[in-house]
Amino acid sequence: MAEVGSTVPRRELGRLLRQTREQAGIGLEAAASDLEWSRAKMYRIESGQTPIRALDVEQMCRLYGASPETSEVLISLAKESKGKGWYHAYGAVIPRWFQLYVGLESAASHIRTYEHGLVPGLLQTPEYTAAVARSRPGITDEEVAKLVELRLERQRVLARRRPAAPTLDAILDEGILHRSVTGMAEQIDRLIAASEKPNVSIRISPLGSKLTRAAVAGSFVILDFPTQGARSAEPTTVYCEGLTGALYLDRLEEVRAYAELWNHISAEALSVEASQTLMRQIKERQHD
């Protein structure tokens, strides 16, 4: 039967199982032999081509000497990969600290992100990140500091050399730049500076833009993945984050809908140069 729903948890499970095996210093064939599986089965599991039982993941974790925390994540992903669709609710089955999206982001070769409410995480200054974090009820100063630290670590992906850093194309609603946020002047400077990098494009969707389905869809990210040797690229994945969870979509018709929406938004957005000019004007008028 044809499989429906997102393959994201299965693909991430395969990636993490491969990393755990390699960290243990165990070769693919040696692991297959110890598990009494064929090399082909191991390859299918690690490349996310086939589901795997939670019991089998437990066996692999014991062989690799995985920590209890890592084992919990891998077993949870194995259970999730059996579902027909996938909605990842933070803190439910998978522990809150495990950020699936970050793994996908680091594996992507091209990231397209549309934001109507916040500056994208990859482009935030520490002060802006802290201001966003403090909007959460009951958050402590220690938790804010940790979120800022994690955000800065995540941003290293845009400057890495091996593998090559992904290309980031970001479109931001102009309204984001008008918000009264601590450190907004420095945040706009950061956006302008980032847009000068060869692998980063930042464009503004002006307030006078035509109404599009983006008003219904909200913010979203489209992730494209590279071809690895003879292996075909992983399927393009759309990520949409909400207040209590995140949706991962990779079915062809879902991805096509968001790709078409991206094209509509892109057609209305200003050029990189015009966007830089507008950002400078907003900073001078409102935030200096």
Side-chain angles (χ1 to χ4, degrees):
M1 293 178 61
E3 186 173 345
V4 295
S6 176
T7 63
V8 168
R10 193 177 70 204
R11 289 188 278 130
E12 186 66 5
L13 173 59
R15 187 172 13 248
L16 290 173
L17 284 171
R18 183 178 68 251
Q19 291 175 359
T20 305
R21 174 180 59 75
E22 291 173 346
Q23 289 169 359
I26 301 173
L28 182 71
E29 293 189 4
S33 176
D34 286 346
L35 294 165
E36 298 184 348
W37 296 342
S38 68
R39 187 181 187 281
K41 178 178 178 178
M42 283 290 297
Y43 176 82
R44 288 195 301 271
I45 290 171
E46 292 190 354
S47 60
Q49 295 179 22
T50 185
I52 180 173
R53 298 183 307 166
L55 287 174
D56 290 333
V57 172
E58 283 188 65
Q59 186 181 358
M60 297 173 81
C61 288
R62 286 195 297 270
L63 175 62
Y64 303 157
S67 68
E69 294 80 10
T70 298
S71 298
E72 181 184 1
V73 169
L74 296 175
I75 292 167
S76 295
L77 275 172
K79 293 176 181 177
E80 292 288 349
S81 69
K82 296 289 187 179
K84 291 186 176 181
W86 203 54
Y87 189 88
H88 174 63
Y90 300 130
V93 179
I94 295 177
R96 187 182 183 90
W97 56 264
F98 178 68
Q99 299 181 4
L100 175 58
Y101 173 75
V102 176
L104 293 173
E105 186 178 70
S106 65
S109 57
H110 186 197
I111 302 168
R112 288 171 282 175
T113 178
Y114 166 70
E115 265 290 351
H116 71 86
L118 295 171
V119 172
L122 287 175
L123 301 170
Q124 292 178 5
T125 63
E127 194 169 14
Y128 187 94
T129 298
V132 173
R134 290 193 179 96
S135 68
R136 300 183 185 180
I139 194 167
T140 66
D141 289 342
E142 183 180 356
E143 289 170 330
V144 170
K146 184 63 175 177
L147 285 171
V148 171
E149 179 185 343
L150 292 172
R151 184 61 50 82
L152 291 174
E153 182 65 28
R154 175 183 156 200
Q155 291 175 356
R156 295 179 187 274
V157 70
L158 291 178
R160 75 184 181 200
R161 295 186 178 182
R162 292 187 179 181
T167 298
L168 172 65
D169 290 327
I171 299 178
L172 284 64
D173 268 6
E174 181 185 338
I176 294 172
L177 306 176
H178 293 282
R179 296 186 188 281
S180 297
V181 180
T182 303
M184 196 65 204
E186 291 75 14
Q187 178 61 74
I188 292 177
D189 285 339
R190 169 71 183 277
L191 291 172
I192 294 170
S195 67
E196 299 287 352
K197 296 180 179 179
N199 63 320
V200 178
S201 166
I202 300 173
R203 301 167 62 204
I204 304 301
S205 178
L207 293 177
S209 297
K210 296 177 182 178
L211 184 65
T212 69
R213 286 179 296 164
V216 177
S219 303
F220 62 90
V221 183
I222 304 175
L223 300 149
D224 295 304
F225 300 92
T227 300
Q228 299 180 358
R231 290 172 53 190
S232 59
E234 294 186 16
T236 297
T237 299
V238 177
Y239 172 81
C240 307
E241 185 173 328
L243 190 61
T244 59
L247 186 63
Y248 295 83
L249 308 169
D250 60 6
R251 289 189 294 180
L252 187 59
E253 63 272 22
E254 296 168 333
V255 172
R256 184 185 293 118
Y258 278 90
E260 290 174 354
L261 177 56
W262 171 268
N263 291 337
H264 286 304
I265 298 170
S266 183
E268 292 291 323
L270 301 176
S271 68
V272 171
E273 294 75 16
S275 296
Q276 291 174 341
T277 299
L278 178 59
M279 286 191 283
R280 291 190 182 98
Q281 291 172 346
I282 293 173
K283 177 193 169 187
E284 292 170 1
R285 289 198 305 260
Q286 293 185 230
H287 303 296
D288 271 350

